[in-house]
Amino acid sequence: MKYIKILSLVWFGLLISHQAWSLETQPNKQANDLLQQVDARLAPPSYEMYRKLINIEPDGKRKEFVLYSVKKGQDKMLALFLDPASERGRSTLRLGDNQWLYIPNVGRPIRITSLQSVVGGVFNNSDIMQLDFHVEYAASLLEENTETWLLALKARHDSVAYDQLKMWVDKASLSPLKIEAYAASGLLIKTLRYSQIKDFGNGIKRPAMLETDSPLFKGHKSVMLFSGIKPRELADEVFSLSFMPRVGELRQ
């Protein structure tokens, strides 16, 4: 009986905590305008870039991937695996809430979900094929000091990978510093940390490194390194299932 009472108190505490979090996250125009500025600082509306993804296991073992990616507007993103050789030629496509993986040996795109991971490690497909934050989340301002804003982000619909985010934004650079990602239950899923502000040219000045860890994957860590970010005009037909085997043509 004592054990049941303790569990009841814990459950009640979690419920109250979740309710308090929900009460704090009332979207407002100021916070949403700020979130749009953060998105604009991270990347132009249409661009190409290269990324290296590194998965680090508790014993220090590493696995690395190199991706070439293009994005257009608020809902279109396409990525091509360049390395390792075992993954070369694979591509992933995101159109809004829908995602696909193309494997040359299979010869046709396969549906994937945002919470799966085509690279393993702590980054999931939603992290790798990230859309603009303001498209997927409504924002409110939780705290402000002389150096940072703390935003609370609430998913606009159920298909978003994380129900809630806490985002710390640096006032000087308008770049995110840290993001905590939560499930609808209030469970912390992962923490993402941005660092190494770099001038990529063409008015793009943003973090060049993103690191993540998760209490669900003890001792594991994943890192994303950004390079070669630059504006590029892209046709809508690039972001189609039929173009997935041909992504490499964009690099020529």
Side-chain angles (χ1 to χ4, degrees):
M1 182 64 70
K2 182 179 179 181
Y3 181 68
I4 294 174
K5 287 182 178 179
I6 292 173
L7 285 178
S8 298
L9 288 171
V10 170
W11 177 85
F12 181 73
L14 289 172
L15 178 62
I16 294 298
S17 176
H18 179 59
Q19 289 176 337
W21 165 261
S22 299
L23 288 172
E24 290 176 334
T25 55
Q26 300 302 316
N28 61 71
K29 187 176 185 303
Q30 177 191 4
N32 281 290
D33 287 348
L34 174 58
L35 189 59
Q36 289 191 42
Q37 293 179 56
V38 170
D39 283 327
R41 183 59 61 95
L42 287 175
S46 185
Y47 65 91
E48 67 178 5
M49 69 176 172
Y50 288 86
R51 290 176 291 172
K52 176 179 283 190
L53 277 64
I54 307 168
N55 293 331
I56 307 169
E57 298 183 4
D59 62 2
K61 185 178 179 181
R62 299 159 65 101
K63 187 169 185 180
E64 300 185 2
F65 303 83
V66 177
L67 282 72
Y68 168 75
S69 305
V70 291
K71 183 175 178 292
K72 182 177 182 178
Q74 298 181 347
D75 63 348
K76 301 179 181 69
M77 189 168 191
L78 182 63
L80 173 69
F81 284 81
L82 304 178
D83 282 310
S86 60
E87 306 292 323
R88 196 169 298 156
R90 293 192 179 201
S91 60
T92 55
L93 171 66
R94 180 169 184 179
L95 296 174
D97 299 329
N98 302 302
Q99 299 187 47
W100 293 268
L101 169 66
Y102 172 79
I103 304 173
N105 291 340
V106 175
R108 62 179 177 82
I110 302 168
R111 281 266 193 174
I112 56 177
T113 69
S114 60
L115 291 177
Q116 293 174 318
S117 178
V118 293
V119 298
V122 188
F123 286 123
N124 59 32
N125 294 337
S126 178
D127 301 321
I128 298 168
M129 306 292 283
Q130 175 69 55
L131 299 181
D132 290 351
F133 287 106
H134 77 273
V135 173
E136 296 190 305
Y137 295 93
S140 64
L141 183 62
L142 283 183
E143 296 177 9
E144 179 180 1
N145 58 41
T146 57
E147 297 181 350
T148 62
W149 290 287
L150 172 56
L151 300 181
L153 310 185
K154 173 66 176 173
R156 295 184 183 273
H157 46 80
D158 294 339
S159 60
V160 177
Y162 311 116
D163 182 71
Q164 301 166 73
L165 302 177
K166 284 185 177 180
M167 176 188 287
W168 284 260
V169 178
D170 177 54
K171 286 187 172 182
S173 64
L174 275 180
S175 295
L177 298 172
K178 183 175 78 169
I179 296 176
E180 292 179 348
Y182 294 86
S185 65
L187 175 71
L188 175 63
I189 299 175
K190 67 178 58 168
T191 302
L192 302 109
R193 297 175 179 85
Y194 292 81
S195 61
Q196 299 186 11
I197 298 291
K198 177 181 176 181
D199 190 341
F200 290 90
N202 299 293
I204 304 170
K205 190 174 183 180
R206 53 148 295 159
M209 176 183 285
L210 173 61
E211 301 173 90
T212 186
D213 53 57
S214 169
L216 307 180
F217 298 92
K218 296 286 187 181
H220 291 261
K221 177 181 177 181
S222 290
V223 180
M224 192 181 299
L225 304 174
F226 300 84
S227 66
I229 305 175
K230 61 182 180 181
R232 179 169 179 177
E233 295 299 319
L234 298 153
D236 285 339
E237 67 183 33
V238 166
F239 303 91
S240 64
L241 298 179
S242 60
F243 195 81
M244 292 184 75
R246 301 166 48 202
V247 186
E249 296 176 12
L250 298 174
R251 302 180 61 233
Q252 297 174 0

